[in-house]
Structures are given as structure tokens and as C-alpha cells.
Amino acid sequence: MTYIVTGGAGFIGSNFLHYISNDTDLLEPVVVVDNLSYAADINFIPKTDQFIFEWCDISNERNVNYIFDKYKPRKVFHFAAESHVDRSIKNYRPFLESNVIGTINLLNASLKHEIEKFHHISTDEVYGSLEYEDTDLFKETTPYDPRNPYSASKAASDYFVKAWHNTYGLPYLITNCSNNYGPHQHIEKLIPLTIINAMRGKKTYMHSEGRLIRDWLYVEDHCRAIWLLDEQGIMNDTYNIGGGCELDVETVVKKILTILDKSHDLIGVSNARPGVDKRYAMSYTKLYNKTGWKPIMNFDVGLQHTIEWYLNR
């Protein structure tokens, strides 16, 4: 019996593999499914016999069925997704194909093979945007209000997962996470982009004058939450995984420049992009009450670890 981890050569998926390898007692083989797109790196996958890599485009039903027929998985952890908002605004189609069609292909294959659990990793962006002065954070009961093609595709995939449970009885779990940061993240995202730009003496341009607020979650804390839910056998529900760390973009960029001993003159401002969300903030109260999980990584410490990883590449 095996596990399947989709997107295992990407940012969060590869960190999850390392968490399995270093911090759990799992002995079962793990089939790592990835199409090695621009944001993935096969070298991020742990180099042990436990992890079996299979190239697979999840938007291709034949590819997916081949993998499931070959390995007959027991559980699926679905990380694979197109995730960059700016790219989704320029071209929605890869997001439709990967995030929606790809998820449906995986759901159908999971149903056929009667898997024990389909864990779908999603995002806080499905909830839309908070106002700066709002006191109520995103909860699992917050209505969905996606405001760009990326978040719309993730909202759709969440609904399809629930529909496959309600209609066909597929066992599932959905977790919606806040903004992850840490090693292995592609340089199109804010923190690695700022690090690389700073080392090259280039400016990092921020939308909306850096006022946008995000809830920052260290990727290892996220992986720990996912595994804890699995260990405790929690099923057929939805949980928010928040970082409990709201910071605006300008503050984060300044912290990076200060750690690297670079001038704050390397901060640039660009116009707000279409569909921009002012603020994300997640309540993880339901998850804490159920499992005892809470984020433990201090942001400044996690940021230092992240910067060191990029500098040592």
C-alpha cells in the first residue's frame, strides 16, 4: 500500500515530504507525482528509497489513471496547483486545467480505487478579502468570495472535493492555509523575490504601496498540521491553518533588507493589480480545539532560516 503526494517537487509538497522523512514514523512508500513545471525542482524530493517519483500531468486523465492503477494508493495528499495570482490574471487556462480538471481527475481515480482519504490542500484566498479594520477573521464558515482567477479555481476545486464526498461517498479532508513561506519557494513569490533582488542590488516592487496584509505561516508548521490531522484520523471536514502572524508587505520587505544589510531604497512601488485583496487573516481555533495544533515558528526566526537557505543555494 502506498501514499500519493501530488506536487511533491513544488514548494509545500516537497517540504511535506521532508517532514514525513524526518519527523514521522511512516514506512509506507510515497509516490511523488509532479509534472516538473517552472515552480518545481526534482532535487527538492528527499533522496531515499521511500519516495518514488513519477512524472505526471494531473490534467491528463490517462496520466492520472496510469499512476493509480500502477500503485493502488491508500491515501492522497493533493498539493499540486498553479498558484501565482499574477499569472492567473494574464492567462487563466493553466489554472483551470491544473486546479480544477486536475483535481477532478484525481477524485475520479481515488473513487475508483476506494482510497481511505483524499486530503486537498487549499488556500485562504477562496474567502476573498478582509478590510483592514475587520475584527472577524476568516473561519471555516466564512462564505467563499474568490476575487481573481487563481482563487476562483481553488474555490472550484474545494467544491468538487466536497461534491465527490456528498455524491459518491469519497472520504476527504480540506485544509485552507494562509501565506506560506520557507525553503523551496519559487522566486516569483514575495519573500524569495525580495531576497534575490536584494542580493543583486535590484528593487522589489510592491502592489498598493506595500499596505497589503497577509497572514504568514512557516511551511514546516503547515506540514506539521497536515500530518497531525492524519495521525488523529480526522476526516470529512474542513480546517483552516493560519499562521497567527499578520504583517503588511512593506514590513516583510524591510525585515529582509535589514537582515541582508541592504538599503531600504531597494523598495519600489507599483500600481495595484486587478482583483487585489487587501488583507488575509485566518482563525485556526477549530484546528486548535480539535488537535491542539498551533504555529510555533517565530516569524523573524523563520525568515532568517529562509534567507539562509536561499543564500546557501
Side-chain angles (χ1 to χ4, degrees):
M1 302 293 282
T2 61
Y3 285 27
I4 281 181
V5 175
T6 73
F11 169 39
I12 304 175
S14 64
N15 276 280
F16 182 66
L17 299 180
H18 282 277
Y19 187 84
I20 288 175
S21 180
N22 298 328
D23 297 284
T24 78
D25 296 324
L26 182 70
L27 299 177
E28 292 185 62
V30 177
V31 179
V32 182
V33 170
D34 206 294
N35 69 349
L36 298 180
S37 70
Y38 74 95
D41 188 334
I42 196 170
N43 294 310
F44 291 162
I45 300 171
K47 294 174 175 57
T48 72
D49 293 339
Q50 183 179 19
F51 300 100
I52 305 161
F53 175 74
E54 288 278 3
W55 186 95
C56 178
D57 177 0
I58 62 170
S59 68
N60 184 308
E61 189 174 21
R62 284 187 178 180
N63 285 179
V64 172
N65 288 339
Y66 170 81
I67 299 296
F68 276 70
D69 289 344
K70 181 177 179 180
Y71 292 102
K72 298 175 175 54
R74 185 162 70 91
K75 295 181 181 179
V76 174
F77 292 86
H78 178 32
F79 294 88
E82 293 288 336
S83 67
H84 194 48
V85 174
D86 287 359
R87 287 179 181 268
S88 77
I89 292 170
K90 293 177 181 177
N91 181 11
Y92 73 88
R93 184 163 292 279
F95 294 78
L96 173 64
E97 293 173 349
S98 178
N99 300 356
V100 181
I101 301 301
T103 299
I104 293 172
N105 289 338
L106 291 164
L107 291 169
N108 283 332
S110 297
L111 194 65
K112 174 185 174 184
H113 287 272
E114 300 180 338
I115 65 159
E116 295 178 12
K117 184 178 76 171
F118 186 96
H119 188 151
H120 179 58
I121 288 80
S122 191
T123 173
D124 57 358
E125 296 193 39
V126 298
Y127 297 121
S129 179
L130 293 170
E131 295 296 329
Y132 293 125
E133 66 274 11
D134 283 345
T135 56
D136 289 336
L137 308 185
F138 293 144
K139 300 180 180 66
E140 290 80 359
T141 54
T142 301
Y144 277 19
D145 184 26
R147 292 160 49 88
N148 57 65
Y150 161 63
S151 57
S153 71
K154 291 299 289 185
S157 66
D158 289 4
Y159 281 129
F160 275 108
V161 173
K162 290 182 180 180
W164 257 239
H165 169 71
N166 293 331
T167 306
Y168 307 112
L170 183 71
Y172 83 99
L173 193 67
I174 295 174
T175 49
N176 297 84
C177 67
S178 58
N179 273 53
N180 280 227
Y181 71 100
H184 301 179
Q185 192 170 32
H186 190 265
I187 61 169
E188 68 188 358
K189 299 301 177 81
L190 177 73
I191 288 178
L193 177 64
T194 303
I195 296 167
I196 300 303
N197 282 347
M199 297 310 298
R200 295 173 179 172
K202 295 174 58 178
K203 284 188 176 185
T204 296
Y205 289 89
M206 305 174 298
H207 295 298
S208 302
E209 299 178 347
R211 295 193 305 270
L212 305 179
I213 294 175
R214 300 295 181 255
D215 180 9
W216 300 94
L217 173 66
Y218 192 62
V219 66
E220 186 173 318
D221 276 337
H222 184 190
C223 296
R224 181 168 52 86
I226 291 170
W227 191 254
L228 188 59
L229 285 161
D230 191 67
E231 278 188 320
Q232 297 191 11
I234 296 168
M235 301 278 288
N236 302 327
D237 208 345
T238 299
Y239 288 89
N240 287 345
I241 306 176
C245 178
E246 286 188 66
L247 291 171
D248 64 73
V249 169
E250 183 180 23
T251 296
V252 173
V253 172
K254 284 182 176 178
K255 282 178 177 288
I256 295 169
L257 294 175
T258 298
I259 291 171
L260 293 172
D261 195 26
K262 299 292 183 179
S263 170
H264 290 183
D265 290 341
L266 292 179
I267 296 175
V269 175
S270 60
N271 295 328
R273 69 185 176 205
V276 72
D277 295 332
K278 293 180 182 177
R279 176 183 167 218
Y280 304 140
M282 295 268 277
S283 169
Y284 58 85
T285 300
K286 179 181 174 182
L287 178 61
Y288 175 76
N289 289 340
K290 186 70 173 180
T291 68
W293 178 92
K294 59 182 178 180
I296 59 176
M297 178 60 77
N298 172 273
F299 180 78
D300 289 338
V301 176
L303 186 61
Q304 183 71 51
H305 290 334
T306 303
I307 290 171
E308 289 173 359
W309 184 84
Y310 283 95
L311 296 182
N312 291 329
R313 285 203 72 189

